[in-house]
Amino acid sequence: MSAVSVRDLWMEYPNQVVLERLNLEIAAGSFCALVGPSGCGKTTFLRLLLGEERPTRGAITVDGQPLVAEPGPGRGVVFQRYSVFPHRTVLENVIMGREFAGSRLLGRLFGAARRAAIEEAEGWLECVGLAAHRDKYPAELSGGMQQRLAIAQALIVKPRILLLDEPFGALDPGTRAQMHELLLRLWREERMTVFMVTHDLKEGFTLATRVLAFEKLRIDPTDPGRFGATITYDLKVNEERAAEMAPPLALSA
Amino acid sequence: MRRVINRRPGRGGFLFWSALPFAIAAAGYAVASALRLAENPGDRLLPPLSAMADAVVRMGFTPDTRTGDYLLWADTAASLQRLGLGLGVATALALLLGVAIGLIPYVRAGLSAFVAVLSMIPPMAVLPVLFIVFGLDELSKVVLIVVGIAPFLIRDLSLRVEEMPREQLIKAQTLGASSWQIVLQVVLPQMLPRLIDAVRLSLGPAWLFLISAEAIAATEGLGYRIFLVRRYMAMDVILPYVAWITLLAFLSDTLLRLLSRSLFPWQRAGKGAS
């Protein structure tokens, strides 16, 4: 779990302001849903958290330290698509995190180290319900199974922050409900801080402990890029769930 | 009456329609050859099959009176060695530079425009330069093949690398991969089948450059032989040689296709049973 704080953040591209004056304090273990209309900078904000892009102004700190300016194992991610590697089987996808850490030169483990990684990966596959499909390629899985695989793959390196970019946007409602259950369970068990971009307000309110609405406050009809979006609503929801996740220190205080 | 785009031949029908153009071409040749021979038994332009068979026996299964070599096989070995070396070097270059240009922004900034300009130089126009610099021996022929196809392979591969979903590269980084590990475990495995496809497409140009170089300066090789016997209008040798080259090219293409299919089974995953 990591606490994230955002101070006076601006994100500008040439001729376009995407985000303006973003201020945010996120407690460790929060589950944040980022909602709002398309093109309002939700995904840009996620990319900033990921370290894929740098803010034009302002700063993001994680547990008081400036955010590392490139993606790394502290922050896991699941995208809507292309989150798993098509040339590796389900099992091979999950052990990747262990292989990268254990073999700097080849990125591949052998012998006892590989068996240990496989055992750990099998635990994760069991956990997300993919144990029976360990030797299939991602293209042979359904959309929901691919997303479960992407989650297992991300979690094996124990990220303290998990970033989700519309992870369930392409799934049917039944599968989506199953995924919600799985995600909530993993969030509790792994004690992560979660940021999830979603178009679905209901999804946001069901899952999150905090819903952040992105919207443009000012609109210049002749120059749509002139003003950026900011957080217009910051709602605390599902508070009993949030209390469970609060660090013990805060409870005793 | 169903639309013509919805009507498909069965298995037997498919074979029939595939074989038809070959049969027509063969029959056309036989008829034209017979007609010309009926008019002039000494005609050399369209020799009968029997004459071509004789030529094959002479070139492939009788030692040459001067050198003692079996010419067809000596020519084949010489040509395939040049072709193999040229393709091998070009493929290795493509792998190295293509991945670097596609993946590393600084290399892309430095090299992509340069390679784009290089690829516009007509290779045949620099053949004299190659002869001057590398001599008339094997090296200049191999270099011509490399100069001819490497820029295409490099550009193709770098574009394919750039096309890779950004999500995959980000995901690998969040799993802790270094740049080198990403190259080794994410980019290369997915690019090798693409590279094999690109090499298959450049087999035609590779043969073109090989035969051109051999035609101009060589002492053996399939292209050399064809251009040598042209002086005697020996169509009975030229046509079997052309058929042989075609067969070799077709076989190498098929071999690469099967190789790609068996080495990279994931490519066909989820695409149905066929």
Side-chain angles (χ1 to χ4, degrees):
Chain A
M1 289 199 300
S2 286
V4 175
S5 98
V6 176
R7 263 190 301 276
D8 199 27
L9 181 113
W10 289 68
M11 187 65 196
E12 291 168 32
Y13 294 118
N15 301 322
Q16 195 191 358
V17 182
V18 182
L19 294 170
E20 57 181 44
R21 277 175 301 152
L22 223 59
N23 282 292
L24 208 53
E25 290 294 334
I26 304 288
S30 302
F31 192 132
C32 301
L34 316 178
V35 299
S38 300
C40 256
K42 303 185 299 287
T43 296
T44 304
F45 182 60
L46 208 69
R47 289 164 80 151
L48 289 167
L49 285 174
L50 202 51
E52 192 188 347
E53 297 197 50
R54 286 182 213 207
T56 321
R57 267 180 276 168
I60 302 176
T61 56
V62 177
D63 292 334
Q65 301 294 316
L67 184 93
V68 182
E70 62 173 357
R75 282 156 283 153
V77 68
V78 173
F79 296 104
Q80 185 173 5
R81 293 173 64 204
Y82 306 120
S83 277
V84 292
F85 299 95
H87 63 291
R88 287 171 161 249
T89 62
V90 167
L91 186 73
E92 286 171 340
N93 261 291
V94 180
I95 64 173
M96 279 177 97
R98 284 284 165 259
E99 290 195 304
F100 289 141
S103 163
R104 292 318 294 175
L105 189 64
L106 292 177
R108 213 166 239 288
L109 294 173
F110 302 95
R114 183 177 166 84
R115 280 196 295 280
I118 287 179
E119 204 167 304
E120 190 184 358
E122 278 173 337
W124 279 108
L125 288 178
E126 196 76 51
C127 173
V128 299
L130 284 178
H133 307 281
R134 52 169 271 178
D135 294 322
K136 286 188 178 164
Y137 288 106
E140 296 165 296
L141 303 179
S142 69
M145 285 153 89
Q146 287 191 22
Q147 291 307 74
R148 276 186 273 163
L149 172 59
I151 292 171
Q153 182 185 39
L155 294 190
I156 199 172
V157 296
K158 307 261 174 214
R160 292 189 299 165
I161 299 180
L162 183 64
L163 305 166
L164 306 160
D165 192 356
E166 292 184 47
F168 314 135
L171 305 183
D172 63 83
T175 316
R176 206 183 265 217
Q178 287 175 6
M179 297 297 295
H180 289 169
E181 232 167 85
L182 173 71
L183 185 60
L184 279 179
R185 196 179 85 221
L186 290 171
W187 169 62
R188 281 203 198 96
E189 287 174 6
E190 299 303 312
R191 306 187 69 78
M192 297 174 291
T193 308
V194 175
F195 291 86
M196 172 166 155
V197 169
T198 176
H199 271 130
D200 184 350
L201 266 180
K202 190 162 157 277
E203 180 172 79
F205 278 95
T206 319
L207 292 174
T209 58
R210 209 159 154 189
V211 176
L212 306 170
F214 283 68
E215 209 169 341
K216 287 189 181 189
L217 280 178
R218 296 174 291 174
I219 292 176
D220 182 342
T222 58
D223 181 9
R226 179 153 171 218
F227 301 114
T230 190
I231 293 176
T232 50
Y233 291 95
D234 180 350
L235 305 170
K236 291 198 166 68
V237 290
N238 296 317
E239 303 218 22
E240 70 293 348
R241 224 189 271 155
E244 272 173 52
M245 286 293 286
L249 246 177
L251 275 179
S252 62
Chain B
M1 192 70 179
R2 277 190 297 161
R3 288 180 188 82
V4 70
I5 57 166
N6 291 326
R7 299 173 56 181
R8 317 160 183 266
R11 215 176 158 69
F14 186 82
L15 278 179
F16 171 77
W17 288 106
S18 304
L20 190 63
F22 291 101
I24 291 176
Y29 182 86
V31 170
S33 168
L35 284 177
R36 286 185 70 99
L37 286 169
E39 204 158 292
N40 168 19
D43 179 57
R44 306 187 63 122
L45 193 65
L46 298 179
L49 270 182
S50 59
M52 286 195 262
D54 287 346
V56 170
V57 170
R58 194 170 72 244
M59 302 302 292
F61 303 97
T62 327
D64 183 48
T65 44
R66 189 168 59 84
T67 59
D69 285 340
Y70 293 89
L71 289 178
L72 176 63
W73 306 113
D75 288 339
T76 306
S79 287
L80 284 185
Q81 194 193 356
R82 291 165 189 150
L83 192 76
L85 272 174
L87 280 171
V89 172
T91 307
L93 269 179
L95 207 54
L96 198 71
L97 291 178
V99 169
I101 291 173
L103 198 62
I104 304 170
Y106 270 96
V107 179
R108 190 182 313 154
L111 283 184
S112 75
F114 186 65
V115 172
V117 171
L118 273 192
S119 72
M120 293 300 151
I121 300 175
M124 291 309 292
V126 293
L127 184 57
V129 180
L130 301 182
F131 281 144
I132 293 166
V133 175
F134 299 108
L136 293 174
D137 286 338
E138 296 303 298
L139 189 57
S140 57
K141 299 176 190 70
V142 173
V143 173
L144 178 70
I145 296 174
V146 174
V147 169
I149 64 173
F152 160 73
L153 290 178
I154 294 172
R155 293 184 81 195
D156 183 67
L157 198 66
S158 63
L159 287 176
R160 304 290 180 128
V161 173
E162 280 180 59
E163 272 173 14
M164 282 184 67
R166 158 192 85 83
E167 287 91 338
Q168 279 197 19
L169 300 180
I170 302 282
K171 178 86 182 204
Q173 293 177 61
T174 64
L175 297 176
S178 65
S179 301
W180 171 245
Q181 287 174 326
I182 290 176
V183 168
L184 220 53
Q185 298 297 342
V186 177
V187 178
L188 273 186
Q190 294 189 66
M191 287 303 122
L192 285 178
R194 308 292 190 96
L195 183 64
I196 289 182
D197 282 346
V199 170
R200 283 174 63 195
L201 288 179
S202 55
L203 280 176
W207 275 101
L208 168 72
F209 295 126
L210 173 70
I211 290 173
S212 312
E214 287 180 343
I216 294 170
T219 52
E220 57 179 353
L222 296 166
Y224 161 74
R225 194 69 55 198
I226 291 176
F227 276 79
L228 182 74
V229 302
R230 179 194 61 92
R231 297 175 197 165
Y232 320 112
M233 225 178 126
M235 288 291 272
D236 56 338
V237 175
I238 295 178
L239 292 179
Y241 259 68
V242 172
W244 177 235
I245 293 173
T246 310
L247 183 70
L248 287 175
F250 180 76
L251 285 180
S252 40
D253 183 64
T254 308
L255 211 67
L256 284 174
R257 183 166 54 87
L258 294 178
L259 187 75
S260 168
R261 190 189 278 202
S262 67
L263 284 182
F264 312 110
W266 56 270
Q267 285 186 98
R268 289 153 51 76
K271 297 237 173 81
S274 63

